[in-house]
Amino acid sequence: KQERRDLAAESGILERKRFLLSSSPELKERLRKLQDIVYEMKKEHPEVISLGLYGSFTKGYATPESDFDANFNIDEDSLNKNGASIAPPAMLDELKNADLVFGNLETPITQGSEIPDFEMIFRSNPGTEKALKQAGFSILSLANNHTPNFGEKGLKDTFDYLKNVGIEYVGAGQNEQEANQPVYIEQKGIKFAFLAYNDTDVVPALYEAGENRTGTAFMRIEKMSEAVKEAKQKANFVVVSMHAGIEYTDKPNESQINFAHAAIDAGADLIIGHHPHVVQTLEKYKGRYIFYSLGNFVFDQPQSQETKEGLAIKVYFTKYGINKISLLPVVMENLAQPKVANKGEAEKILQRLKFSLAGQNIYSWNSNNNNFEKGSRGIIYTENLKKGDVFSYFWVRVALVQCEYLLDLSR
């Protein structure tokens, strides 16, 4: 077992000694052993599935050549002609570098009149859905206090536009049953169930879906628990989204905590929160993680530094559980343009989680000064081991990535 560990760890060293391979029989033999081990690992372990999760977003970002209307909505013509996008290229790379991508869409996609700046009613033009699709979003929560701003028609239009581009939505529906039902997505043999809910104290009662009324799912613990238990019977993992909490506060309230705990008690594997518009604490409860608020991702709230900050998280799954969670702090600049936070900004954002994290330096391209900027991301490592294994799956995967660069593993 120790030799297996040593050989796998040695793969990174061997990569740096490729020039010696043709003249060193000893290294050739060690590579041969390593190839056999890695081949067996690949047979025993499934692919890692990465799930990207993002905080609240509405309206959008445009390239310098494209146009927005007065509401900062992506215009259909500018999208088609100039390539308008919901985020700058560096962030789009992060979005697309995941197998599944989830976000909280806080705007209906529907036609309508111009809305004055700083109004609390939101609307996005048709065409926004195409930008969301191009960005890589797989599924969106509509259970929030702004997607129903244009009534049942606005919601129904949003359903149709998202369906037309192949984006799933959750937490809203044509009636109560549809709004509260889970949405299932399967990737590489692993099935996920998504559920999303609105807290009763952040929206008017008429936003709740009824027997014959289009609306959103409300945070009713008994109903949610039943849905989670049912979903757990059909899916490997259940992800629950909640739109709850007190805006601009750094800690969850009692409603958030009780709902999140109840969801995990019922069988949920991961809880994602939004609505406070700032990053809130992270909790590990019964071995499961609760992100009470990811803050903002694309949202025009420049009134404080905290509302311009957010977390983009990526969760790595195998069929045995969550192996790693990567937390990428982001900061919005120039009115809702998210960028990777620099090291100082990232450390400040991650401190809001009140959670012990491993650190990892990252580098992103800054097009303004044509140079790389050093940033930081937080990492949570977990140990979900198959009985008899001596590696955590993430560690094995690192070995595979390094070895595949050197070896032909297609036998």
Side-chain angles (χ1 to χ4, degrees):
K1 290 181 180 179
Q2 185 59 45
E3 184 181 16
R4 284 164 62 92
R5 292 176 66 93
D6 292 343
L7 283 169
E10 188 182 8
S11 64
I13 299 172
L14 291 178
E15 183 179 347
R16 295 173 177 83
K17 295 184 177 180
R18 282 174 292 158
F19 65 96
L20 295 174
L21 296 184
S22 60
S23 59
S24 173
E26 181 182 354
L27 284 175
K28 281 185 177 180
E29 178 58 25
R30 293 191 72 78
L31 267 180
R32 184 72 260 161
K33 289 182 180 181
L34 185 58
Q35 183 180 32
D36 292 339
I37 291 170
V38 172
Y39 178 66
E40 291 302 316
M41 290 178 187
K42 289 193 74 174
K43 290 197 302 182
E44 293 173 6
H45 293 275
E47 289 285 345
V48 172
I49 303 298
S50 57
L51 170 65
L53 300 117
Y54 292 79
S56 298
F57 59 92
T58 185
K59 305 177 181 179
Y61 159 88
T63 62
E65 297 79 21
S66 64
D67 299 318
F68 281 103
D69 65 17
N71 301 306
F72 297 97
N73 296 307
I74 295 173
D75 178 83
E76 180 84 29
D77 290 335
S78 67
L79 180 74
N80 293 334
K81 296 176 183 177
N82 303 311
S85 172
I86 68 160
M91 289 309 308
L92 289 180
D93 289 342
E94 288 289 334
L95 282 159
K96 292 178 179 179
N97 190 25
D99 296 297
L100 294 171
V101 182
F102 174 95
N104 171 49
L105 178 64
E106 286 211 57
T107 176
I109 304 173
T110 186
Q111 297 282 4
S113 59
E114 180 179 319
I115 301 171
D117 289 343
F118 306 110
E119 285 287 330
M120 296 304 294
I121 301 295
F122 296 165
R123 180 188 64 77
S124 286
N125 281 339
T128 301
E129 75 284 357
K130 294 181 181 179
L132 292 168
K133 182 66 175 180
Q134 291 172 6
F137 281 96
S138 314
I139 179 168
L140 298 169
S141 170
L142 305 184
N144 55 65
N145 58 316
H146 287 296
T147 304
N149 281 171
F150 275 66
E152 292 189 55
K153 183 182 185 305
L155 276 173
K156 290 177 180 178
D157 286 347
T158 305
F159 301 162
D160 291 340
Y161 285 118
L162 293 178
K163 287 177 183 176
N164 286 342
V165 295
I167 297 178
E168 301 281 356
Y169 60 87
V170 66
Q174 304 274 1
N175 51 52
E176 180 183 7
Q177 180 180 356
E178 186 177 306
N180 284 274
Q181 69 186 13
V183 172
Y184 297 96
I185 301 179
E186 185 168 342
Q187 280 278 348
K188 301 177 184 178
I190 298 179
K191 182 179 283 189
F192 295 85
F194 294 89
L195 290 155
Y197 300 92
N198 241 335
D199 204 348
T200 57
D201 65 355
V202 302
V203 292
L206 60 85
Y207 281 9
E208 183 174 21
E211 184 177 350
N212 298 301
R213 183 175 69 236
T214 300
T216 64
F218 273 25
M219 283 171 49
R220 305 195 183 281
I221 287 180
E222 184 176 349
K223 187 178 293 186
M224 174 274 295
S225 297
E226 292 175 0
V228 169
K229 290 175 183 177
E230 177 188 342
K232 194 65 175 178
Q233 297 299 314
K234 301 176 181 179
N236 300 98
F237 300 101
V238 179
V239 179
V240 174
S241 168
M242 62 177 179
H243 199 74
I246 301 171
E247 290 184 328
Y248 320 123
T249 59
D250 59 1
K251 295 179 182 178
N253 63 17
E254 186 176 354
S255 177
Q256 290 170 276
I257 295 170
N258 291 342
F259 189 81
H261 287 188
I264 290 174
D265 290 340
D269 298 281
L270 181 68
I271 313 297
I272 302 299
H274 29 82
H275 179 64
H277 297 291
V278 296
V279 175
Q280 289 189 335
T281 55
L282 164 62
E283 180 186 4
K284 187 176 183 181
Y285 173 75
K286 295 186 176 180
R288 303 292 187 262
Y289 293 94
I290 304 167
F291 290 85
Y292 282 106
S293 176
L294 296 181
N296 289 330
F297 179 58
V298 178
F299 217 99
D300 56 327
Q301 285 189 318
Q303 63 264 39
S304 73
Q305 183 60 34
E306 288 75 17
T307 57
K308 294 188 288 185
E309 299 170 344
L311 274 180
I313 69 174
K314 187 181 291 184
V315 185
Y316 295 81
F317 293 85
T318 74
K319 66 180 180 180
Y320 306 120
I322 294 173
N323 282 104
K324 184 183 77 162
I325 303 176
S326 172
L327 300 92
L328 179 66
V330 298
V331 175
M332 286 176 290
E333 56 184 6
N334 301 329
L335 191 58
Q337 297 182 19
K339 71 175 184 69
V340 176
N342 64 39
K343 190 172 180 62
E345 293 167 334
E347 290 174 352
K348 176 176 172 289
I349 295 169
L350 292 173
Q351 286 173 2
R352 297 177 68 89
L353 296 174
K354 308 294 184 186
F355 197 91
S356 178
L357 303 168
Q360 181 184 60
N361 290 329
I362 57 173
Y363 295 86
S364 60
W365 182 256
N366 186 324
S367 57
N368 292 327
N369 59 19
N370 292 320
N371 203 353
F372 284 97
E373 287 187 349
K374 185 177 182 179
S376 178
R377 78 167 80 219
I379 305 288
I380 300 170
Y381 293 102
T382 66
E383 293 186 1
N384 291 294
L385 304 182
K386 181 181 176 183
K387 188 176 180 180
D389 286 344
V390 294
F391 306 108
S392 74
Y393 188 78
F394 173 67
W395 193 67
V396 171
R397 184 61 183 168
V398 170
L400 290 178
V401 170
Q402 292 173 335
C403 295
E404 285 169 354
Y405 186 74
L406 295 171
L407 307 171
D408 178 12
L409 301 178
S410 59
R411 333 176 329 186

